[in-house]
Every structure is written in structure tokens, then in C-alpha cells.
């Protein structure tokens, strides 16, 4: 559910919504949502001073509840 919500939010921000993918990784310390975007859109997703990324993390943290979730933004050119 969190991955779908985050993907929906990020697709609304970027210029290349088809390149957006969110992968949910379960780690020992909890859930990690890895967001992959087109390299041209990485700055738009992070925002000036990281404000957009912080806002997205806040929304996902509120949806996640007590367990929480970490969010990591990656461009699609970086190794999978």
C-alpha cells in the first residue's frame, strides 16, 4: 500500500512518469521504499534544499504509522 501511494505521488511530480518505479525492500530495521526516477527528474523529486523529498517522507511516514518506513530516491541510471 505504501509503495503504491508513494508511486502515485511521485508520478504527479515528474516529467517522465513512465520511468517511476517503487520497490519495497524488507530489511532488519524495517521497510525501505526505493524510488527510481529518470535522471532528469531526480532534482524535481528531491526539490530545493530537499523540501520535496522531506515532504514525501513525511506523508509516507504518516501513512506507515508506528512501524515507519524509510524512503530512498535513486535515478534509473544507477545500478539495480
Amino acid at each position: 500500500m505504501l509503495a503504491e501511494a508513494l508511486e502515485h505521488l511521485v508520478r504527479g511530480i515528474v516529467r517522465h512518469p513512465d520511468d517511476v518505479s517503487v520497490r519495497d525492500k524488507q530489511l532488519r530495521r524495517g521497510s525501505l521504499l526505493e524510488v527510481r526516477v529518470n535522471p532528469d527528474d531526480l532534482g524535481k523529486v528531491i526539490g530545493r534544499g530537499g523540501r520535496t523529498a522531506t515532504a514525501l517522507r513525511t506523508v509516507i511516514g504518516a501513512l506507515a504509522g508506528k512501524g515507519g518506513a524509510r524512503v530512498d530516491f535513486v535515478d534509473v541510471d544507477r545500478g539495480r
Side-chain angles (χ1 to χ4, degrees), residues 16 38-39 67:
H16 307 282
N38 189 297

Side-chain angles (χ1 to χ4, degrees), residues 4-69:
E4 292 87 12
L6 182 58
E7 185 172 348
H8 179 74
L9 290 171
V10 173
R11 282 181 185 258
I13 296 171
V14 298
R15 271 197 186 157
H16 307 282
D18 295 334
D19 291 343
V20 174
S21 69
V22 178
R23 193 165 72 179
D24 188 4
K25 293 182 176 180
Q26 294 301 319
L27 306 175
R28 280 186 277 167
R29 295 189 319 170
S31 181
L32 171 68
L33 297 172
E34 187 177 80
V35 181
R36 294 189 176 274
V37 296
N38 189 297
D40 296 336
D41 292 327
L42 190 58
K44 190 170 276 199
V45 172
I46 292 173
R48 185 173 298 199
R51 289 185 192 136
T52 305
T54 301
L56 290 169
R57 287 182 177 117
T58 301
V59 170
I60 295 303
L63 289 173
K66 188 176 181 181

